Structure formats: C-alpha cells, structure tokens
Amino acid sequence: MGAMSELDRVAPPGLVRRGSRSSAERKTLYIAHDPHWKKFRRRTFGRRDICLVAGVVVVVACFTIARMHLSRQLLWGGLAIFPILCPASAQASNGSSPVPYKVQKPPLDTDWTYKVGTDPWPEHPRPQLRRDVWQNLNGIWTYQSAGNARVPPDPPQSAALSREILIPSCIESGLSGIQDLNSPSMWLARTFKVPDAWKGQSVLLNFEAVDYETTVFLNDVKVGHNVGGYFRFTVDITNNVKWGQDNKLSVFVYDPSDTEVIPIGKQARNPSHIFYRSCSGIWQTVWLEKTPANHITQLDVTAGMDGAVTVTAHSSGNQSAEVKVSVVDPDGKVIATQSGTSNKGFGFKVDSPKLWSPSTPVLYNLTVSMGDDEVHSYTGFRTISTGIVKGVQRPLLNGEFVFIFGTLDQGYWPDGLYTPPNYEAMVYDLKMLKSLGFNMVRKHIKVEPDLFYRACDELGLLVIQDMPSMPADSNRPPNADQQAEFQRQLEILINEHKSYTSVVIWVIYNEGWGQLRGPPYPEEKLTQVVRAIDPSRLIDSVTGWNDHGFGDFLDNHHYANPQCGTPFYSILSSPYDPKRIGFQGEFGGIGHTVAIEHLWNVQQAIDQINQTYEINADLASYNYRASVIFREFREQVERYACSGGVWTQTTDVEGEVNGLYTYDRRILRPATDQWKSDIQGLYKAAAGRGGAGT
C-alpha cells in the first residue's frame, strides 16, 4: 500500500480478540529526523529514565516541580528528541493535591480498558498534514466542574485542579477517571514547556476535537475560542509562550448536549435506547507544533483514475507563495513533481497510477513544501461518479459499478464513549468488517479522529460519512441561527475530510432529525453547498425518509428486511426514483441478548433491550434470520435496482443488542463462513447486473 501505515503497528486480529500491550508499559519518544516517528521503549527507574535508542542507552534525568511535566530537548547524535515527559507531583489550587487518576469502573469494560495507561494516543493525529517536529500534550491533566456556567469566569489560579483526568477522553466515560454525568461546564488544565529550539518559529496549539464550546487560556490570557464538538481548531500561541518556563494551559468547556439545538448526533443527557450517554470535554488529541510564520494550514488533494492530480495549499498568511509537490510511489520512487501558488488550485498528471479500490487500496505519499514549511501527506488515485449501467442508475468507482455494502458504524465504546481506548481498538472493528467481506462503513452521525479515515484508506473500506444531526425532536425545529450553524459545521466536515480517498459519499440528514419539513426544503440548498465545496463525491441528501428528490440517492430504511430499489416501499421512505441510485441506507438490525457480563449494565438500557428491531434467543436463530434477510437482499439486487446497503450494525451500543460484535467486542455473533458466503453472493448478483464484483 505504499504509504507508511499505522496499521502495520497493530497485529492483524482475524476474528479473535488479541491482547493489547499497555501504554503504561511504554513511553514514546519522537525523533525529529524521522517522518514516521519511530517509537522506542523506555524503562523507568526512580528519577532516571533509561531510553533504548538503536541499542544505545541514553540516561535522562527527571525533575519534579509543582505538578508539571518537563519537556527537555536533548541533542544526541544529531537528533532532536521531543518531548521527555517526567513524573511530577502537584498541589491543587486549594492547597491539597488533586485526586490521582484512576480508571472509573464503567458499566461495561473491554479488553483494552485497563491497558490504556497514562500515555494515550501517541500517534501523530493528522496523517494528511504532518510535520516532522511536534509535541503531544495527551496524558494526565486536571479537571474541575464549573457547574452550569455558560461563560467562563477567570481561569483558576493553578493548573492543578481538584482531580486528575486522562486526556483525551469524555468526562462521562470510565477511562477519563471522572465519569461525571452532570457537569455541562468544566475546567481542564495542565502545564507544558516549549523547547528552546522552537524560538523564532510560530508555535501552534492544536485541538483535534472538543465537545462542545471551548475557550482557551494560556498563562491566564484568552487565546482562542471554538464552537462545535467534532472538528479541529488551532490557536497560534507564539506571542503568549513563556520560554524556559512552565506555560499554564486552562481550557473551559461548555457542552449543552441535546438540551440545545446543535449538531450532537446520538448524544443524550437522558439516554433512551437508540440515544446514548453524551460526551463532553477534550475527546481527541491535543498537541503542539512549530511552523514558519507563513505555513500551510490545509492541504486539499484530489487524484483521479486518469492520473490527474489537483492540489490546493492554503497558507496562514493568505498570501501568494510558491508551493512544490512531490508524489512518491509505493516503492519509494518520486514519480512526479509540480510547482504552483498557494491558495490557488493547480494540477498535473501522473502516468498510469495504480488505482485505489477496496480490493487494491494503493496509496501514494506526498511531500509538499512552501518556503521553509514542509508537510507530509498522501493520496489514492480513484474516481467516484454515477452513471447508467444496463439501464439502471449506479454508483461508479473508477468507471465501474461497484456494489457498496457495509455496516452502520456508530463508533461508541463502553469504556471511552466517543473516544476509542487506543488505535488498536479502533481498527479492530474495521479489520473484522474487512475480513467478513464488507467493502464499506457508514460512519453514523459521528466524526472520527483522522486516523480512522487513514485506516479505511489503508484497508480498502469505502466510507459513507454522515453529518452529525441536530436533536431528533420535531417539537424543536432549528431556527434561522441554528440552521446557519448546522450549515457552517457541515461545511467544516466536508473541508476537513475531502482529501481522504476512502470517503465517497456525504450524508446530510438522517431520518429527518433536525430537518425542517416545509419548503423551501433545507437539503436543496445544502446539497448545492456540499457540491460546490466537493464536486468529486456523491451526496446522499436524505437517508431514510423526508426525501424531496435532491442528491444522488433514493435511500430507503426498513427493518428487518430490505426494500432496495424495489417497486414496493413503506412510509416514511419514498418510492424508488429511477433518476437516482437505489440504496438501502439501513436494514437488518436483528438482535441477540447475551449474558449480563457482555451488556451495558445500566438499568435503563437493559429495560429497553426489547425495543431492538428483532430479538433472537440464540446464535443459531440469529444466523438463520441473517441468511433469510441476505437471501431477500440478494434477490432484490438480481431483480430490481439495488446498488448497495447498510447493515445495522457493527457493534451493540448500550441498550441496542443488534451488533455483529457485542458492545465489549468480546463476542462475534456472525457465523463467519456463512456471512462471508452471503456477502460474496451480493457482489456476484451485482456482477450479473453489470457490476465489477468485489
């Protein structure tokens, strides 16, 4: 697959649970000259760390000063090593020490829960905009509830608040060490040092995602503000950094969850069956990097099946500068170079590239420079479009009809909620899906860390990406300001993810949640907005119901059996529209109750298990019912205009027990040989209608 793979660091799991090495058993060093950030084990003895680097022992002294992790630059053999994080004690602002971090027992754990340690998510978080020098701020922070305050008061005097917390995490999760379900407002804090070698450069503080409204203070000065729980933001802290001293980072977060009309997906303060425990706080990676004053802020790349590449390098100064791009093939050979101007798209051609598809997920590395700035990225050559095949409107990948089949993937974890325990856990689900023969995941009204999309690129899993919905409450339709905010965040979703090769379809509305009902229908305008930002992908304007004819799909939801591109349908779905692609956006959903040790042990969730679409008494019955539904689905592919579908769902979530995996990922329900055969049968049926097979 060419490009350096994080997946290479995770043992292929097959369909059997694998062990996970505790991050408490290791620390991470970042070697500045190495673009792939090689990791080396470090063993701690008292106040000295013995670092094993290429067989040479480097002894690093650690110092303890008032609740801070010291970052010390070492020059060894010409290599800059950042950061060195050392144990430290702290005094809380009230004079007592913060309550030490400890995993809080969640209602259900996983095999990773107690192996996460205090060095979470050490991977570089942005695989498509990666610089060689950066500093991870994940780990132990401190936390303090701020009650119901919407506007932040003055930041606390100390970075040592009342309790230690693991970042990134949802404060409602067991992994956070807090598991607080009733604090919409909070302070999160820590200290850090910036390496002296970064002087003369811009220092950027990056948050990958904080839910929901964030105000950032550095050394008690407000330096940033952001609204939205799913998207990254960057604060230039160059003028506020104290060199050679601790910098106090204080973050105030307000998260109303579903009490306000905002994009929240399935989060709920009071969960009920298909709506789940909410996630508040810093739930994705926080990190620092150094850049030149004028640097690349966003890299937009499209690479088509014809070898045509278009690049736009957005610059922080919004001024014209020369941009150079090199394309490196899977063998490490530079096969194309091109120059252009920042903030303007420019194109070039690569001769006879190997095309990306689910069966051949070939990726090409990119190096992009602008002045003194250099970033690493990657792309895959592929084209997604729509066209007529044997008289039926079809989705086309690289000019061929590809039957798109995958699962509804909600991305919830019993121990971390929105935040997977670690990278290995996150890709474990994806590898299971790929091994069964699925070629797609529908990322359901949630946005994942960028490393999720990188993993799909590497594995060869198409991604249908939903926009997180506003609350599913018809009594609270969005007003004009709320609708405008939904559109603003939708635009961010497209811009942040439009260069990931695996993403092929955007979904705007799910089952009418937060969708205004009367004309002018909001999806008409939003479809035009998405198409203008990203004309290279297909749009599923409305998945499920309340369809008014916009977008590329007529998308039916029906449980348990499908109605895909058929001459029959059930309300609230709409009749098949031959001008658009017939698609089964949700079906299946058959369930199976397991023993309490594999259930989300919250009484409300247990009481609502019987709301699952269908419950089977045992796995024999479950797999029989699956075979019946697959047979009907295959017949619809053979007879009618069905071009793909989404099986509900990858895993159980809280009181929903219709996952392929249980919520703890310890029981896989499908009879694997049967499911592999049934899934291949769908591709064969599609091939008989002009499809490309798998």
Side-chain angles (χ1 to χ4, degrees), residues 1-3 327-335 354 362-365:
M1 290 185 289
V327 181
V328 182
D329 71 11
D331 297 322
K333 179 182 177 181
V334 176
I335 58 172
K354 297 177 181 178
V362 180
L363 300 173
Y364 288 74
N365 281 320

Side-chain angles (χ1 to χ4, degrees), residues 367-414:
T367 300
V368 182
S369 60
M370 183 185 73
D372 294 329
D373 195 19
E374 181 178 87
V375 297
H376 305 287
S377 190
Y378 72 92
T379 193
F381 289 84
R382 65 102 182 94
T383 298
I384 182 75
S385 60
T386 181
I388 302 293
V389 177
K390 293 189 175 183
V392 179
Q393 196 75 35
R394 301 292 195 184
L396 306 179
L397 179 64
N398 300 328
E400 296 183 306
F401 164 37
V402 170
F403 189 81
I404 301 173
F405 186 54
T407 59
L408 193 78
D409 194 79
Q410 305 211 59
Y412 273 80
W413 297 84

Side-chain angles (χ1 to χ4, degrees), residues 8 55 89 104 106 115 131 146 229 329 334 337 349 374 413 447 493 516 528 570 595 604 628 673:
D8 294 339
S89 61
Q104 299 297 303
K115 299 176 182 177
R131 295 180 176 88
D329 71 11
V334 176
T337 58
K349 202 80 173 283
E374 181 178 87
W413 297 84
V447 183
L493 170 71
L516 293 168
Q528 295 170 354
S570 301
Q604 162 269 325
V628 170
D673 289 344

Side-chain angles (χ1 to χ4, degrees), residues 219-230:
N219 300 319
D220 297 329
V221 176
K222 180 180 175 180
V223 292
H225 179 260
N226 185 71
V227 174
Y230 297 95

Side-chain angles (χ1 to χ4, degrees), residues 281 324 423 489 592 655:
K324 297 179 180 179
Y423 182 84
Q489 293 192 34
H592 161 247

Side-chain angles (χ1 to χ4, degrees), residues 30-309:
Y30 304 107
I31 309 302
H33 86 292
D34 184 350
H36 303 308
W37 306 109
K38 294 179 180 177
K39 299 179 184 176
F40 301 94
R41 295 190 63 184
R42 184 173 76 177
R43 300 173 184 171
T44 301
F45 296 87
R47 297 193 186 272
R48 289 184 177 270
D49 281 0
I50 299 181
C51 305
L52 305 180
V53 183
V56 178
V57 176
V58 180
V59 180
V60 183
C62 296
F63 301 88
T64 303
I65 302 178
R67 187 60 187 95
M68 64 185 176
H69 294 301
L70 290 184
S71 296
R72 170 172 290 190
Q73 178 187 1
L74 299 184
L75 295 180
W76 175 80
L79 304 182
I81 303 177
F82 307 102
I84 308 300
L85 299 179
C86 302
S89 61
Q91 292 293 314
S93 55
N94 62 5
S96 62
S97 295
V99 176
Y101 170 73
K102 181 182 178 182
V103 175
Q104 299 297 303
K105 181 177 175 58
L108 180 66
D109 63 20
T110 70
D111 286 355
W112 294 280
T113 303
Y114 300 103
K115 299 176 182 177
V116 169
T118 57
D119 180 28
W121 289 93
E123 298 84 2
H124 191 288
R126 293 190 194 171
Q128 289 196 328
L129 194 70
R130 180 173 51 80
R131 295 180 176 88
D132 287 346
V133 179
W134 67 291
Q135 181 170 320
N136 199 328
L137 296 184
N138 292 345
I140 298 299
W141 291 40
T142 60
Y143 162 86
Q144 190 166 292
S145 173
N148 295 307
R150 173 96 191 227
V151 178
D154 291 336
Q157 293 182 351
S158 171
L161 306 179
S162 61
R163 299 179 64 180
E164 291 188 339
I165 183 173
L166 188 70
I167 296 295
S169 67
C170 310
I171 68 163
E172 298 90 342
S173 72
L175 282 178
S176 71
I178 305 297
Q179 207 162 220
D180 185 344
L181 308 184
N182 296 297
S183 289
S185 300
M186 71 208 73
W187 284 102
L188 301 155
R190 65 158 294 158
T191 60
F192 64 87
K193 280 190 174 181
V194 180
D196 288 341
W198 291 16
K199 286 183 178 179
Q201 301 283 301
S202 292
V203 180
L204 306 183
L205 172 62
N206 299 298
F207 295 84
E208 292 304 293
V210 183
D211 199 345
Y212 174 74
E213 183 174 354
T214 311
T215 308
V216 182
F217 296 84
L218 186 66
N219 300 319
D220 297 329
V221 176
K222 180 180 175 180
V223 292
H225 179 260
N226 185 71
V227 174
Y230 297 95
F231 309 112
R232 70 176 71 110
F233 62 98
T234 296
V235 181
D236 189 331
I237 59 172
T238 309
N239 295 330
N240 303 93
V241 166
K242 294 180 179 178
W243 298 97
Q245 302 178 48
D246 286 320
N247 291 273
K248 187 181 79 165
L249 176 59
S250 306
V251 180
F252 180 85
V253 181
Y254 170 69
D255 182 19
S257 192
D258 60 336
T259 66
E260 295 184 11
V261 180
I262 58 175
I264 45 85
K266 286 198 171 186
Q267 300 180 71
R269 286 293 182 205
N270 295 298
S272 58
H273 194 51
I274 66 168
F275 299 98
Y276 319 125
R277 182 175 291 186
S278 57
C279 171
S280 306
I282 302 172
W283 68 277
Q284 290 188 34
T285 291
V286 187
W287 55 293
L288 299 170
E289 63 182 336
K290 74 176 183 70
T291 69
N294 188 34
H295 54 270
I296 299 170
T297 58
Q298 179 176 318
L299 195 61
D300 301 335
V301 181
T302 59
M305 60 180 287
D306 59 355
V309 181

